[in-house]
Amino acid sequence: MVVSKSSPLIFERSREGRYAYSLPQKEVESQSVNDVFDEKFIRKEKAELPEVAELDLVRHYTELSNKNFGVDSGFYPLGSCTMKYNPKINEKVARLGGFAEAHPLQDESQVQGSLEIIHSLQEELKEITGMDEVTLQPAAGAHGEWTALMIFKAYHQKNGQGHRNEVIVPDSAHGTNPASAAFAGFKAVTVKSNERGEVDIEDLKRVVNENTAAIMLTNPNTLGIFEKNIMEIREIVHEAGGLLYYDGANLNAIMDKVRPGDMGFDAVHLNLHKTFTGPHGGGGPGSGPVGVVKELASYLPKPLVVKDGDHYRYENEIENSIGRVKPFYGNFGIYLRAYTYIRTMGNKGLQEVSEAAVLNANYIKARLKDEFDIPFEQYCKHEFVLSGSKQKEHGVRTLDMAKRLLDFGVHPPTIYFPLNVDEGMMIEPTETESKETLDYFCDALIQISEEAKNDPDKVLEAPHHTIIDRLDETKAARKPVLKFDGLHAEKE
Ligand SMILES: *Cc1c(COP(=O)(O)O)cnc(C)c1O
């Protein structure tokens, strides 16, 4: 497929004097830049901006959007990322003028509706997580992890336990967990998984000590396996004076089934941009609310939005607050989408979400189990990990199969993660996909596995049908070409 010829860059489309805008008639006298700005701030040469007509501009952006891949263009089973459908009604609500045009500096009397949404969402998330208080401020999952760990730290310090400087993290954890622990000034200590993919209780007993500040757990964990010993884990960590942190980025296996609060966790973060259908990928904005038990409520970031009678207001008097973690009140547009989602689904809907997410993952797992090595055999929750170890015997690696999936119009699953699975491929279909899509994906993977045996070059040289073929990934990472270097730049 030759695309570069038919879709010139915006700079190649440029012709001097063309423009895609028209300004309203001016109502003031023209001023020379020299009268307004100091000489040293004025450009010596003209900015090299493309000059194009409106239609060229529209085609430029339309082409870019066509080259992009998202949930709206195809199946995106990226494990641990919950690339589920983002309902369009969310967008409609987020664009309502009263919300979209509200200004964060407006007096609270003028934004009662927006504050009501914030407060109601806090209430909904308390209910869903089983926590006593929720802040919406953190801007992403990792930011929520860090916020909760700072709360833990302040709590330990206040209780004369400031020496607690270790945070236990399973070897299967999402990479943000140890990173957040380090960022909050703790030492991340690894606890091993056992042969069932669950936290190894004996190893946990070994790593817990008087310096344990907390354990961070994902449950179901990133292998898609429910930590059924959670009550014992809770006991061991609490007994040692540590706190339990729940990574709830992907809550869509357990919503309205079981709550982190009921499992004994002290704090939890959620990703509104995963579980609660905020769009993500491409850099945000996100939202990572944090819920805590009542013993930790006085440490939350301020302000919280509270309700006094019929009136909503910002509460800044929070006794032990760790302070602000985000300017203003966080990413309000994402709250609107999450709130719309929760209210359109209702309790029963959220329950069905969890059931379908788990069913879909188990369906794919069952269909692939004869063709691929599946290291953890028990039923999974919303995702599972398979191993490409059988295919590796034919010289085809998981990376190659992932590239070949591109030819089928599928975004590849997460690969080589978690690190404790050889040639891992982590598949999370989400609840929003139809059986036909799941079957298409399974057929594709089975075909690729057969190619690995009979025609390995086809897989090794993939992708064949994409705009560009396989990149030199090392070079792309080490010497990325991020800038257009003129019309006739040498193709390296
Ligand atoms: C996505 C994810 C995170 C991090 O969320 P961000 O919003 O990307 O910071 C943390 N934990 C798990 C399990 C995740 O899937």
Side-chain angles (χ1 to χ4, degrees):
M1 204 192 295
V2 183
V3 177
S4 60
K5 285 279 181 303
S6 62
S7 58
L9 300 173
I10 188 82
F11 293 98
E12 294 170 303
R13 292 178 192 269
S14 178
R15 294 295 177 276
E16 205 177 330
R18 286 195 190 151
Y19 54 92
Y21 61 88
S22 48
L23 297 176
Q25 208 134 54
K26 66 175 187 289
E27 293 166 345
V28 292
E29 285 293 302
S30 293
Q31 298 228 35
S32 154
V33 278
N34 299 296
D35 297 338
V36 185
F37 294 108
D38 198 276
E39 173 73 23
K40 68 173 184 267
F41 296 123
I42 300 170
R43 251 182 220 291
K44 303 284 176 298
E45 285 146 33
K46 230 176 109 185
E48 279 184 54
L49 296 175
E51 297 177 58
V52 294
E54 184 171 328
L55 177 58
D56 295 323
L57 189 67
V58 168
R59 287 193 179 143
H60 168 68
Y61 282 113
T62 304
E63 267 164 23
L64 286 185
S65 76
N66 285 340
K67 281 180 189 164
N68 207 349
F69 189 92
V71 178
D72 288 354
S73 34
F75 189 39
Y76 209 135
L78 196 60
S80 194
C81 289
T82 312
M83 302 301 289
K84 60 159 83 166
Y85 175 63
N86 310 140
K88 298 306 166 230
I89 188 175
N90 295 355
E91 300 305 315
K92 187 168 175 183
V93 172
R95 280 166 174 69
L96 290 174
F99 293 134
E101 285 156 30
H103 193 282
L105 288 176
Q106 265 172 283
D107 187 76
E108 61 189 35
S109 66
Q110 297 173 348
V111 288
Q112 284 293 303
S114 297
L115 293 183
E116 182 177 352
I117 294 283
I118 294 179
H119 184 265
S120 304
L121 181 58
Q122 288 172 185
E123 293 300 307
E124 296 285 354
L125 297 181
K126 281 189 213 171
E127 179 68 32
I128 290 171
T129 56
M131 291 284 143
D132 296 316
E133 201 57 75
V134 165
T135 173
L136 301 182
Q137 274 187 37
H143 194 194
E145 293 169 24
W146 175 82
T147 300
L149 290 173
M150 293 307 282
I151 290 173
F152 285 3
K153 188 177 213 173
Y155 172 83
H156 283 316
Q157 273 165 357
K158 175 100 183 169
N159 290 293
Q161 298 286 307
H163 64 278
R164 292 184 179 268
N165 64 345
E166 294 182 1
V167 170
I168 301 170
V169 182
D171 55 5
S172 65
H174 194 271
T176 50
N177 290 185
S180 300
F183 213 69
F186 293 104
K187 193 172 128 210
V189 177
T190 305
V191 59
K192 288 201 209 71
S193 305
N194 62 21
E195 68 292 343
R196 290 176 56 83
E198 298 162 16
V199 168
D200 186 323
I201 298 287
E202 290 314 308
D203 200 45
L204 178 64
K205 287 180 183 160
R206 194 181 58 77
V207 296
V208 163
N209 64 43
E210 69 285 354
N211 292 326
T212 300
I215 186 170
M216 302 179 84
L217 279 185
T218 312
N219 196 19
N221 63 30
T222 56
L223 294 162
I225 294 166
F226 193 79
E227 302 278 359
K228 60 180 184 343
N229 297 323
I230 181 58
M231 294 322 248
E232 193 183 348
I233 295 172
R234 158 197 183 167
E235 185 104 2
I236 294 168
V237 176
H238 275 169
E239 192 76 4
L243 297 168
L244 276 88
Y245 179 75
Y246 184 93
D247 179 337
N250 322 103
L251 211 68
N252 45 331
I254 62 162
M255 275 190 295
D256 259 287
K257 294 284 178 191
V258 59
R259 308 186 303 172
D262 303 333
M263 293 184 233
F265 284 91
D266 301 296
V268 48
H269 92 263
L270 304 171
N271 275 27
L272 298 188
H273 50 290
K274 287 181 182 167
T275 309
F276 298 95
T277 65
H280 69 120
S287 177
V290 167
V292 294
V293 293
K294 57 181 180 304
E295 291 77 5
L296 297 173
S298 70
Y299 296 84
L300 284 171
K302 57 187 171 186
L304 281 173
V305 172
V306 297
K307 188 175 181 187
D308 272 346
D310 293 341
H311 183 78
Y312 297 90
R313 63 176 180 80
Y314 306 118
E315 177 60 89
N316 276 295
E317 302 298 318
I318 303 176
E319 198 187 345
N320 303 307
S321 176
I322 60 165
R324 243 178 209 290
V325 299
K326 179 89 176 70
F328 302 113
Y329 317 103
N331 287 327
F332 181 62
I334 299 298
Y335 307 164
L336 289 166
R337 290 169 174 89
Y339 186 68
T340 305
Y341 174 67
I342 292 170
R343 295 307 301 262
T344 48
M345 299 306 286
N347 279 359
K348 187 153 180 302
L350 291 181
Q351 233 174 59
E352 285 169 6
V353 162
S354 303
E355 288 163 10
V358 172
L359 180 63
N360 282 2
N362 279 289
Y363 179 75
I364 295 183
K365 185 163 171 247
R367 275 212 57 196
L368 297 179
K369 76 174 189 311
D370 294 335
E371 197 64 35
F372 292 87
D373 179 28
I374 303 211
F376 306 104
E377 283 177 356
Q378 68 267 49
Y379 285 121
C380 63
K381 290 286 183 269
H382 59 300
E383 63 191 2
F384 72 97
V385 181
L386 61 74
S387 162
S389 56
K390 280 191 200 168
Q391 289 70 20
K392 192 162 129 187
E393 288 165 22
H394 303 283
V396 168
R397 301 196 54 193
T398 291
L399 173 72
D400 304 311
M401 295 192 281
K403 296 288 183 196
R404 179 76 176 117
L405 271 172
L406 295 170
D407 288 332
F408 292 82
V410 168
H411 192 291
T414 302
I415 56 173
Y416 302 111
F417 180 78
L419 304 173
N420 50 350
V421 174
D422 180 41
E423 294 293 315
M425 181 182 274
M426 182 192 212
I427 299 171
E428 180 186 6
T430 83
E431 72 281 0
T432 55
E433 298 295 335
S434 67
K435 179 166 179 295
E436 291 73 26
T437 301
L438 304 183
D439 279 328
Y440 175 79
F441 173 68
C442 293
D443 292 344
L445 262 183
I446 291 167
Q447 180 183 324
I448 293 169
S449 171
E450 273 160 14
E451 287 170 359
K453 285 172 243 166
N454 307 323
D455 188 7
D457 282 348
K458 191 154 194 180
V459 188
L460 294 172
E461 285 160 19
H464 306 278
H465 306 307
T466 45
I467 294 169
I468 50 170
D469 50 27
R470 204 184 286 209
L471 292 170
D472 177 338
E473 302 207 346
T474 311
K475 202 165 172 190
R478 298 279 156 77
K479 290 187 175 175
V481 180
L482 302 174
K483 182 164 145 274
F484 176 63
D485 259 341
L487 290 187
H488 305 291
E490 229 13 59
K491 195 184 160 207
E492 275 199 66

